[in-house]
Amino acid sequence: MQNFELYNPVRVIFGNGESKDLGKHVKGLGKKAMIVSYEVHDFFNALLESIKASLKAHGVEFVEYYKVQANPLLCHIREAAEICKAEKVDVCIAVGGGSVMDSTKAIAAGVLYEGDLWKMFVSRHDCDVAVAPTKSLPTVMVPTLPATSSEMNNIAVATNDVTKEKAYIWSPVLYPTVSVVDPSLTCSLPAYQTAVGAVDAMSHVLEAYLNGDQRSPLQDRLHEGILVTIMSELREILKDPTNVEHRANIQWAATLAWNGYIQSGLNAPTPMHQMGHVLSAHYNTPHGVTLAIFMDSYFRYTCTLNEERMARFALLGEKVFGLCRVGRSDAEVASETVDRFVAFMDEVKVPHTLSAAGIPGEDIEMIANEIVAHGCDADGNLPSLPKIGKDGILTVLNMAK
């Protein structure tokens, strides 16, 4: 385990029905709120009306901004930040999944940011281009999809709609002030969205497990437990979508997956995310699907690159799937581990190839160049164990067809 500093100031209010009187959690944070949600929000109408009624009851004025889409756009963040300034908004409320929560964080920081808001975003890894925000309006998160941990972390991701670059902000000021996590809000989610969100959460765990410090047994056991929980709870939810107990378990597992606690001391990079961001930026592919694609091809490429990788994947298979390692080579167990993850994605019907996601195979060279430009370091390597250059990236993409 490496030295680390852990800071997470988010107040989490967790439980069924906790979103019903949101106003009481907002009233001490500001006098006028912006409610941020999706452009298409018919499925949230009752929830949004309940939130507005609660705000009124607690004396909080509000304006509405319902334009966010999956893979949120910088143009909407800019527009909403300007509305906040004009309307003298002093607190922002997110009602939705990761796209809405990320947008809300960026809006709240953008209101107080001097200069072009795109400068807040880390859009390259070969040089420093970002100037992180140092101030933000307080934010309140009401997550409606277990997936990104955005309700409890300091990250916001968005796509520059002009340059087609997907990038992220990383700053302590992005931590939400309050997150009201009500698992009952997820009971109406369609099976596909539920499954894609679960795979997204799994990818966060796997990025850290496979690419972070390899001498951290406590974090290993925590990661393995979250993976087992997400997979078992997703299976139960797909049988009975209205079971709030299973919804609560997967919601909390997804929140813990990327909130900083179990990544402490790992210093883990995120190669699958860096590759996936390019697919989202150019094809508007759902974030969870991009990660599923690389959970298949990236795993297959890296699992037998060297003895350390084979041993790591074999350990993962032993702990998560109960694979027996006695009398078998690590290479054999590692390969079966990847097969098990791919079989799980097939079971829950999450696409995990470029063709299944509608991404043209003839674009692979362009995609690789974009990954190098935005995700690789100054030496042209994608952060990974081991590091991968353009040739490796091309191999991964061709395996993903």
Side-chain angles (χ1 to χ4, degrees):
M1 184 188 301
Q2 302 179 21
N3 295 359
F4 66 89
E5 178 180 339
L6 177 62
Y7 172 74
N8 192 315
V10 183
R11 179 187 175 203
V12 177
I13 299 162
F14 187 100
N16 299 321
E18 289 291 349
S19 63
K20 289 182 179 178
D21 193 14
L22 191 71
K24 70 180 180 182
H25 304 302
V26 178
K27 66 178 181 180
L29 303 177
K31 295 181 179 180
K32 191 170 189 178
M34 171 176 274
I35 305 171
V36 182
S37 195
Y38 296 106
E39 182 177 20
V40 179
H41 59 271
D42 292 349
F43 43 90
F44 283 158
N45 282 344
L47 173 60
L48 291 169
E49 290 304 314
S50 172
I51 288 172
K52 289 188 288 185
S54 180
L55 292 174
K56 288 178 183 177
H58 289 280
V60 180
E61 297 182 67
F62 57 86
V63 296
E64 299 160 273
Y65 189 81
Y66 301 156
K67 288 191 178 182
V68 178
Q69 60 186 58
N71 296 316
L73 300 178
L74 179 64
C75 63
H76 294 148
I77 292 167
R78 285 174 168 154
E79 180 181 53
E82 291 303 315
I83 293 172
C84 285
K85 292 177 186 178
E87 294 284 345
K88 295 183 170 51
V89 165
D90 51 8
V91 58
C92 294
I93 303 169
V95 183
S99 297
V100 169
M101 291 188 283
D102 284 6
S103 295
T104 303
K105 292 178 185 178
I107 292 163
V111 172
L112 304 178
Y113 193 77
E114 296 182 6
D116 182 6
L117 299 194
W118 183 238
K119 289 291 291 181
M120 296 192 294
F121 289 82
V122 180
S123 58
R124 300 185 68 91
H125 289 81
D126 58 351
C127 60
D128 292 329
V129 294
V131 179
T134 57
K135 297 180 289 184
S136 174
L137 299 180
T139 57
V140 177
M141 303 288 131
V142 184
T144 60
L145 172 67
T148 67
S149 303
S150 194
E151 64 271 16
M152 206 179 173
N153 66 33
N154 63 328
I155 307 165
V157 181
T159 297
N160 186 321
D161 40 303
V162 175
T163 64
K164 302 300 181 185
E165 300 168 88
K166 188 171 183 179
Y168 61 92
I169 311 171
W170 182 290
S171 171
V173 302
L174 261 60
Y175 280 111
T177 309
V178 181
S179 285
V180 180
V181 184
D182 183 346
S184 66
L185 300 180
T186 70
C187 287
S188 61
L189 280 171
Y192 176 74
Q193 287 181 301
T194 302
V196 169
V199 170
D200 185 350
M202 289 170 63
S203 78
H204 296 148
V205 174
L206 289 161
E207 292 267 44
Y209 190 96
L210 295 170
N211 295 300
D213 184 273
Q214 307 288 283
R215 303 157 299 168
S216 304
L218 174 59
Q219 282 91 329
D220 284 352
R221 304 295 86 77
L222 294 170
H223 280 113
E224 292 153 6
I226 289 176
L227 285 171
V228 170
T229 299
I230 290 173
M231 289 190 288
S232 62
E233 293 302 293
L234 178 59
R235 288 184 171 111
E236 294 302 319
I237 288 167
L238 294 178
K239 294 177 192 172
D240 180 6
T242 62
N243 189 302
V244 180
E245 182 177 347
H246 292 305
R247 292 282 186 178
N249 289 336
I250 203 169
Q251 179 82 63
W252 187 233
T255 298
L256 291 177
W258 201 246
N259 72 346
Y261 280 79
I262 59 174
Q263 289 79 34
S264 298
L266 299 186
N267 193 28
T270 56
M272 292 193 297
H273 279 70
Q274 301 310 317
M275 293 187 286
H277 284 173
V278 171
L279 302 185
S280 291
H282 284 269
Y283 307 100
N284 199 31
T285 309
H287 180 56
V289 173
T290 71
L291 294 166
I293 290 168
F294 293 114
M295 279 173 61
D296 183 341
S297 59
Y298 170 76
F299 283 4
R300 290 194 187 282
Y301 175 67
T302 59
C303 74
T304 57
L305 280 180
N306 56 45
E307 291 184 1
E308 289 76 17
R309 289 291 80 195
M310 288 186 282
R312 190 64 170 170
F313 273 93
L315 176 65
L316 180 62
E318 177 186 23
K319 296 296 186 180
V320 173
F321 297 110
L323 302 184
C324 180
R325 298 175 69 184
V326 178
R328 304 175 69 194
S329 69
D330 282 346
E332 181 184 356
V333 179
S335 181
E336 185 178 353
T337 299
V338 177
D339 289 341
R340 292 292 190 99
F341 277 113
V342 172
F344 176 76
M345 290 189 287
D346 284 334
E347 176 188 344
V348 299
K349 296 180 172 55
V350 173
H352 51 84
T353 63
L354 295 175
S355 58
I359 298 170
E362 57 267 27
D363 288 0
I364 281 178
E365 181 73 25
M366 179 275 291
I367 294 169
N369 289 335
E370 288 290 291
I371 292 170
V372 171
H374 302 294
C376 290
D377 61 22
D379 295 321
N381 291 316
L382 192 67
S384 173
L385 289 180
K387 291 184 176 181
I388 300 172
K390 184 180 176 181
D391 287 346
I393 292 168
L394 281 167
T395 300
V396 170
L397 287 168
N398 277 294
M399 293 176 75
K401 285 182 178 179

